[in-house]
Amino acid sequence: MVRLTLELIARNSNLKPRKDETIAQCLKKITHINFSERNIDAIDDLSHCKNLSVLYLYDNHISQITNLNYATNLTHLYLQNNCISCIENLTSLKKLEKLYLGSNYIAVIEGLEGIELRELHVESQRLPLGEKLLFDPRTLQSLAKSLSILNISNNNIDDIRDLQILENLNHLIAVDNQLLHMKDLEFLLNKLMKLRKMDLNGNPVCLKPKYRDRLILVSKSLEYLDGKEIKNMERQFLINWKASKDAKKIIKKKISKDEDAKNPYIGNFETMHHIVPVYYPHVGKPKLVFFSDIQNYLANRNASSESSLEDNSTTAEDMGNLSLKESEKLLTNNDIHEPHLLQNPKVNENVFVEKE
């Protein structure tokens, strides 16, 4: 394995020191260092590289982020495809704008407090089976106003509602995760008012009915969904379709209320009178009798003429005064399986039997 040292940097740089310059003075001029795919497993002290702004160390074997404290002018750091398991020792890099940490062993996005990152790429972490990438709330809070691009693809993530705090997020890349619920996405889109691009391909939620339509309707800022442009004509068509659908629902509800208002007695019949079933023997199986005599009586009254409010009150009173005595004439005492109903006048007042 190879350790990244100042000597190694000096040997591989294109800078040629002057006769009166030292190596340290020469290293101060370096702005870009590219040591990708060099079998590097550790980073040595880079404090002499005062003007270093871009550092390429991807495709190596680095297990810890160390000795970058003095590279205070660093703006771009590429550490993807290494062996890093923890984000650490970066808080002094106040000018860092883009951080690439994809394909490592990171389980929690943390340790970025005080850094105003614009881009964070943490896709495809090599996590243990069944685990998912998590977010430290303190780091999300720190990135809330600065982060514009976030790549969290292929990390077994099933909930991204915590990202609502990223108020300036412009592009979210979350493909090949386990996002399932439309309501979670709709909730997030209602919060991220500046989101222009969102890529969710490879998630189960993409198979939901009207997945694309629903997300377009929720977000007015979204311009690209899963790599496909959202044109003004498409959005306007969906807005008109939803408005028409909502209008039909309102009309249908109003018609239903009007119909209920025309026959208030029928609508409230069951609450005004308790229906008591009476069983009596018959040829074959016993028959459960409900009191359709009352409903027929009411129907005949309604068919004859339109009654006023006073007529309705009279009808209700007449029906309440009907007794079981008239219906008992249809049955003998032996025919009734519940003879106690005949002997209790208080119960009989509201019991009615259908005629054969």
Side-chain angles (χ1 to χ4, degrees):
M1 295 297 178
V2 180
R3 190 176 185 87
L4 182 63
T5 62
L6 292 174
E7 290 77 10
L8 183 62
I9 294 171
R11 286 200 307 267
N12 287 271
S13 67
N14 295 323
L15 293 175
K16 294 181 180 180
R18 300 172 185 173
K19 292 181 180 179
D20 57 342
E21 275 187 330
T22 63
I23 294 177
Q25 290 173 327
C26 187
L27 289 172
K28 288 181 180 180
K29 300 178 181 179
I30 296 177
T31 58
H32 290 62
I33 294 177
N34 188 348
F35 276 86
S36 57
E37 297 183 89
R38 297 290 190 91
N39 288 322
I40 292 173
D41 63 342
I43 304 170
D44 211 342
D45 182 13
L46 301 181
S47 57
H48 287 85
C49 301
K50 298 290 187 182
N51 291 306
L52 182 64
S53 59
V54 181
L55 179 58
Y56 298 95
L57 290 173
Y58 58 86
D59 295 340
N60 283 297
H61 301 281
I62 299 169
S63 58
Q64 276 189 305
I65 304 174
T66 56
N67 294 318
L68 294 178
N69 301 32
Y70 297 100
T72 53
N73 288 309
L74 198 65
T75 59
H76 295 57
L77 179 57
Y78 297 81
L79 288 169
Q80 61 266 46
N81 199 25
N82 277 280
C83 303
I84 299 167
S85 60
C86 181
I87 304 175
E88 56 187 346
N89 302 319
L90 294 176
T91 53
S92 62
L93 306 181
K94 301 300 183 182
K95 294 183 179 180
L96 191 63
E97 296 178 359
K98 299 183 181 183
L99 178 58
Y100 294 81
L101 289 168
S103 299
N104 278 283
Y105 294 87
I106 299 167
V108 181
I109 305 303
E110 59 185 347
L112 297 175
E113 293 82 355
I115 305 176
E116 295 185 356
L117 278 179
R118 289 195 298 108
E119 295 187 25
L120 177 60
H121 301 262
V122 288
E123 72 282 359
S124 302
Q125 297 302 314
R126 286 167 270 189
L127 301 170
L129 186 65
E131 290 193 14
K132 62 182 179 180
L133 186 67
L134 302 174
F135 298 89
D136 186 333
R138 293 169 297 181
T139 288
L140 287 177
Q141 182 67 50
S142 178
L143 300 175
K145 296 187 180 298
S146 64
L147 198 67
S148 62
I149 299 176
L150 176 62
N151 188 347
I152 52 173
S153 299
N154 192 28
N155 282 311
N156 204 34
I157 295 172
D158 58 5
D159 190 352
I160 55 175
R161 287 175 295 178
D162 289 345
L163 303 183
Q164 63 174 298
I165 197 172
L166 304 175
E167 58 187 69
N168 287 309
L169 194 64
N170 181 269
H171 188 184
L172 175 61
I173 310 164
V175 304
D176 296 328
N177 279 296
Q178 298 299 320
L179 300 175
L180 179 62
H181 301 294
M182 283 295 302
K183 289 183 178 180
D184 292 350
L185 298 182
E186 291 171 338
F187 170 83
L188 184 65
L189 287 175
N190 274 318
K191 299 292 183 179
L192 302 181
M193 306 302 293
K194 296 183 180 180
L195 191 67
R196 292 178 55 250
K197 298 179 180 180
M198 184 165 68
D199 298 314
L200 300 175
N201 281 317
N203 282 278
V205 72
C206 296
L207 303 176
K208 296 282 187 179
K210 299 189 180 299
Y211 152 78
R212 181 179 174 87
D213 295 350
R214 289 175 64 177
L215 295 187
I216 292 174
L217 284 169
V218 169
S219 175
K220 295 180 180 179
S221 64
L222 205 60
E223 297 177 5
Y224 288 86
L225 178 59
D226 299 333
K228 185 179 178 182
E229 184 181 3
I230 301 170
K231 297 183 179 180
N232 289 334
M233 184 179 295
E234 180 182 9
R235 176 175 273 115
Q236 192 59 50
F237 171 81
L238 291 172
I239 291 173
N240 294 341
W241 170 80
K242 187 175 186 301
S244 175
K245 187 177 179 181
D246 291 344
K248 288 179 181 178
K249 285 183 179 179
I250 293 172
I251 292 172
K252 186 176 180 181
K253 189 174 182 180
K254 186 176 184 300
I255 292 173
S256 179
K257 286 183 177 179
D258 291 344
E259 289 178 349
D260 291 342
K262 288 179 182 178
N263 292 305
Y265 186 82
I266 293 177
N268 297 324
F269 178 75
E270 291 187 1
T271 59
M272 292 171 64
H273 295 277
H274 297 288
I275 300 175
V276 180
V278 176
Y279 294 85
Y280 63 92
H282 195 69
V283 178
K285 295 181 179 179
K287 182 179 179 182
L288 177 61
V289 178
F290 293 97
F291 310 109
S292 58
D293 276 346
I294 303 305
Q295 296 179 3
N296 291 335
Y297 174 73
L298 177 61
N300 291 333
R301 295 272 301 196
N302 288 338
S304 61
S305 63
E306 292 185 2
S307 58
S308 62
L309 292 176
E310 293 180 0
D311 293 335
N312 284 338
S313 300
T314 304
T315 301
E317 184 178 353
D318 291 344
M319 290 170 52
N321 292 329
L322 288 175
S323 68
L324 183 62
K325 292 181 180 180
E326 296 178 2
S327 297
E328 285 177 3
K329 297 175 182 178
L330 301 175
L331 303 171
T332 64
N333 290 339
N334 294 330
D335 289 335
I336 299 177
H337 282 205
E338 299 184 21
H340 61 282
L341 295 177
L342 295 175
Q343 298 173 4
N344 189 346
K346 293 183 179 180
V347 176
N348 292 342
E349 286 180 358
N350 289 316
V351 177
F352 310 98
V353 182
E354 184 181 17
K355 296 180 181 180
E356 279 294 315

